[in-house]
Amino acid sequence: MEKTECSEAQNFGSVTTSLEPQATAKRKKAKSKNQRRFTDEQIRLLESIFEADSKLEPRRKVQVARELGLQPRQVAIWFQNRRARWKSKQIEQDFRTLRADYDNLASRFESLKEEKQSLLMQMEKLNELVGKPSQGLEGNIMADGSRLQEELAPRGVIQSHKNNTSNDVGCHGDEIHELLSMAHVDASSLSPQDWHRFDPSILFDQSRFTSSHWLNFWT
DNA sequence: TATAGCCACACACTTACGTCA
DNA sequence: CGTGACGTAAGTGTGTGGCTA
């Protein structure tokens, strides 16, 4: 506490003594209408000083108090309260910003979840195609990637990204190809074993993929 | 050099009052 | 006119840093 100034402030506008029952009356008198609120001119000057610097040097405080016809203690308190108001507004602003960021992230997360679900379904379909010899792909197909590619090509599965067909599975060929290229995997020379062994988790390896990679891919 | 006491200051929280819808 | 919400000047309690004996 600024003890010397405190005593000055207590004298501000008061007449009565400081005995307990009279203390309230004293305060009420001190806070009478004209003295309680600062004038517009006082506020204007205080605000302009605060804008330049939110803290006052002791000497400057005394000078300002003299200019405004206030006690130095009143100027100090005004700056304290002003800093508190500024801080609470700042907290509100920060909260709004954080909430907006959170909302954005949450909605992005939801759309990523949907994309993931759709990709998992595509993976299942691909696995069905690759893993079913009865549908024209013979048993040795698993050992021969180039042949698989040849056989799948007419179906518009693997090379659909080149043909740009609207096949249900193939329509995401571009995305899969892009994903693989992000993982530095050449899809054109991918063998069926590779398809099976391909570990999607490498796509989530932070050291290999920056957020911009993902942003570009998903957007 | 370490320590205790004092002082000035800032901050968080609270109170009391004025203003306005 | 009464009333509740809100803004604000000021009081209170506490922590901290500088100074000094």
Side-chain angles (χ1 to χ4, degrees):
Chain A
M1 272 292 176
E2 298 157 27
K3 290 166 185 171
T4 54
E5 288 171 8
C6 190
S7 58
E8 287 170 6
Q10 280 168 353
N11 291 331
F12 177 64
S14 70
V15 179
T16 60
T17 66
S18 59
L19 292 174
E20 193 53 40
Q22 293 153 339
T24 310
K26 172 187 171 183
R27 200 154 43 203
K28 279 181 182 173
K29 194 154 193 174
K31 288 178 178 179
S32 66
K33 186 179 175 182
N34 287 334
Q35 290 179 338
R36 187 175 157 75
R37 296 264 168 168
F38 295 164
T39 66
D40 291 346
E41 190 53 41
Q42 286 170 328
I43 296 294
R44 210 169 8 247
L45 181 57
L46 288 167
E47 285 287 357
S48 71
I49 296 169
F50 181 84
E51 209 167 308
D53 193 356
S54 66
K55 289 190 179 176
L56 269 189
E57 291 293 315
R59 211 171 300 171
R60 177 79 172 127
K61 178 177 68 185
V62 173
Q63 182 194 345
V64 169
R66 226 185 341 249
E67 278 180 45
L68 296 175
L70 296 170
Q71 297 296 329
R73 163 101 179 136
Q74 287 179 292
V75 174
I77 286 175
W78 187 89
F79 268 78
Q80 266 185 36
N81 288 326
R82 186 65 182 81
R83 281 193 294 272
R85 287 195 288 271
W86 181 86
K87 188 178 179 182
S88 80
K89 280 191 177 165
Q90 196 60 35
I91 287 171
E92 275 177 32
Q93 175 63 41
D94 289 349
F95 173 74
R96 276 196 294 272
T97 305
L98 280 172
R99 193 172 55 185
D101 287 350
Y102 171 79
D103 290 344
N104 282 339
L105 274 175
S107 77
R108 239 187 96 203
F109 177 70
E110 282 306 314
S111 63
L112 281 171
K113 254 171 46 178
E114 285 167 18
E115 286 285 346
K116 179 195 165 191
Q117 202 53 43
S118 139
L119 280 172
L120 283 175
M121 287 170 66
Q122 290 172 47
M123 288 278 255
E124 264 180 47
K125 285 182 184 175
L126 280 171
N127 278 336
E128 276 175 28
L129 283 171
V130 182
K132 285 181 183 170
S134 60
Q135 292 185 355
L137 302 174
E138 300 303 329
N140 64 350
I141 218 166
M142 304 301 283
D144 188 351
S146 57
R147 189 169 159 206
L148 171 75
Q149 213 171 328
E150 273 174 37
E151 297 210 37
L152 288 179
R155 296 161 173 247
V157 177
I158 286 184
Q159 292 189 338
S160 61
H161 61 277
K162 290 175 185 169
N163 304 335
N164 201 20
T165 65
S166 59
N167 181 299
D168 184 39
V169 175
C171 70
H172 290 282
D174 281 337
E175 292 171 4
I176 292 172
H177 195 67
E178 195 181 339
L179 259 179
L180 293 171
S181 72
M182 283 166 68
H184 305 292
V185 174
D186 181 6
S188 64
S189 62
L190 210 57
S191 70
Q193 292 96 326
D194 291 330
W195 277 100
H196 273 291
R197 286 199 302 262
F198 177 67
D199 177 9
S201 67
I202 65 168
L203 294 169
F204 298 90
D205 181 354
Q206 294 292 328
S207 65
R208 298 181 69 157
F209 299 101
T210 65
S211 54
S212 63
H213 273 111
W214 281 108
L215 195 60
N216 289 338
F217 176 74
W218 291 110
T219 54

